[in-house]
Amino acid sequence: EQIQEAEEVDWNEEEQRVEVRLVKRLGSIMLSEKPLKSTDNSEVTDLLLEELEDLELETLNWSKEALALKNRVNFLNHHGEAMPDFSDDYLLKNMDEWLAPYLQGINSIRGVKGLNLHNILLGLLSYEQTQALDKLAPAKLKVASGSNIAIDYSNPTQPILAVRLQEMFGTSDTPTILQGKVKLMLHLLSPASRPMQVTQDLASFWANTYDDVKKELRGKYKKHYWPDDPLEAQATSRTKKRM
């Protein structure tokens, strides 16, 4: 029999990485093996993708920015806008299409975690889709106080704006997105960012509930501004002394 020399690609479970070895065999007998550093190998990428699919999407490095982008796109898809499919099911089953191009030179889970998912997902959107995303499902909303507050799109049927109550003074109607088609669910917070009221009808809150909430807040947060007429008051994120 002749000595056969070949590259072998295997998964190291303990190290969570793909390893490539140059192996010499005589029949079924291994004569020698030598680790290879090269990771520019389609077999390496294929095996890494297989392991990633088994480990689920959570294995990837989902920064707040990446997760927010994913949720915003899913929100628009839910409402019938023409956007790429960013559902968990699609992303998990189609990594060979959207993630594989970025895996060249990577052979480990640690290496995959170093990828910028936000930029990768953003690159899947056309210019027109990016413009539509910013217009119809903005990442943040500027409220009456001047603060830019992040919108939570984790539930595509009901996005949430969690904002301090004082920062909404002077705002009569519930803010909307998707060109006025979807009202935000407001989580109105205390100065300590504790939820005081959840509403999708801000006008009704001011008219029917604010007085009771105001009494409680005046007792707990004496340094803050709690006007009798919230619609005529100045929105603020500050205490009375700093206004």
Side-chain angles (χ1 to χ4, degrees):
E1 285 187 79
Q2 289 186 332
I3 295 176
Q4 301 291 326
E5 185 177 81
E7 288 187 10
E8 294 187 2
V9 178
D10 296 296
W11 178 251
N12 185 323
E13 183 65 31
E14 183 177 350
E15 298 292 334
Q16 292 284 283
R17 70 184 181 201
V18 180
E19 294 181 343
V20 184
R21 299 170 299 154
L22 183 63
V23 178
K24 289 183 179 180
R25 296 181 185 275
L26 180 60
S28 60
I29 301 172
M30 181 188 294
L31 300 177
S32 67
E33 62 175 346
K34 178 183 177 182
L36 297 178
K37 292 184 178 180
S38 174
T39 55
D40 293 332
N41 183 319
S42 62
E43 289 184 58
V44 172
T45 299
D46 290 344
L47 184 52
L48 186 56
L49 284 171
E50 285 181 27
E51 295 300 326
L52 284 170
E53 288 178 6
D54 289 340
L55 292 170
E56 302 294 324
L57 278 179
E58 288 75 13
T59 305
L60 303 178
N61 184 21
W62 288 99
S63 64
K64 287 184 179 180
E65 194 179 26
L67 191 58
L69 174 61
K70 173 176 171 287
N71 289 339
R72 289 166 65 204
V73 170
N74 285 337
F75 165 77
L76 289 184
N77 275 323
H78 179 78
H79 289 275
E81 298 295 326
M83 303 294 284
D85 189 347
F86 281 2
S87 66
D88 287 353
D89 187 59
Y90 179 85
L91 292 177
L92 184 61
K93 292 180 179 178
N94 294 276
M95 287 185 181
D96 58 323
E97 294 181 11
W98 67 273
L99 187 61
Y102 299 91
L103 295 180
Q104 187 172 3
I106 294 176
N107 71 332
S108 66
I109 298 299
R110 181 178 180 180
V112 174
K113 286 181 180 290
L115 293 173
N116 188 322
L117 279 188
H118 175 266
N119 288 349
I120 292 174
L121 293 179
L122 193 60
L124 299 176
L125 303 180
S126 67
Y127 174 79
E128 291 76 17
Q129 288 171 331
T130 303
Q131 294 295 105
L133 180 68
D134 290 339
K135 179 180 179 181
L136 301 176
K140 296 183 178 182
L141 183 77
K142 189 171 185 177
V143 295
S145 66
S147 297
N148 288 299
I149 309 294
I151 301 172
D152 179 1
Y153 290 91
S154 54
N155 180 352
T157 63
Q158 188 52 77
I160 294 169
L161 184 72
V163 56
R164 289 185 178 90
L165 173 59
Q166 296 167 291
E167 300 199 57
M168 297 300 288
F169 290 158
T171 304
S172 58
D173 296 318
T174 306
T176 63
I177 51 177
L178 201 64
Q179 292 185 315
K181 296 176 184 176
V182 175
K183 287 185 176 182
L184 293 172
M185 182 63 74
L186 298 177
H187 286 202
L188 300 173
L189 311 176
S190 72
S193 296
R194 295 189 178 94
M196 299 303 298
Q197 188 75 21
V198 175
T199 183
Q200 207 173 19
D201 189 342
L202 188 58
S204 176
F205 167 75
W206 294 134
N208 303 306
T209 312
Y210 172 71
D211 281 345
D212 291 334
V213 173
K214 175 188 66 179
K215 292 174 185 176
E216 181 180 349
L217 291 172
R218 274 181 174 171
K220 289 184 177 179
Y221 304 98
K222 295 181 173 64
K223 294 181 180 180
H224 292 264
Y225 176 50
W226 306 112
D228 291 327
D229 187 349
L231 290 176
E232 294 298 324
Q234 177 186 345
T236 180
S237 60
R238 300 170 177 267
T239 60
K240 286 185 283 189
K241 285 186 178 180
R242 297 180 63 190
M243 287 179 63

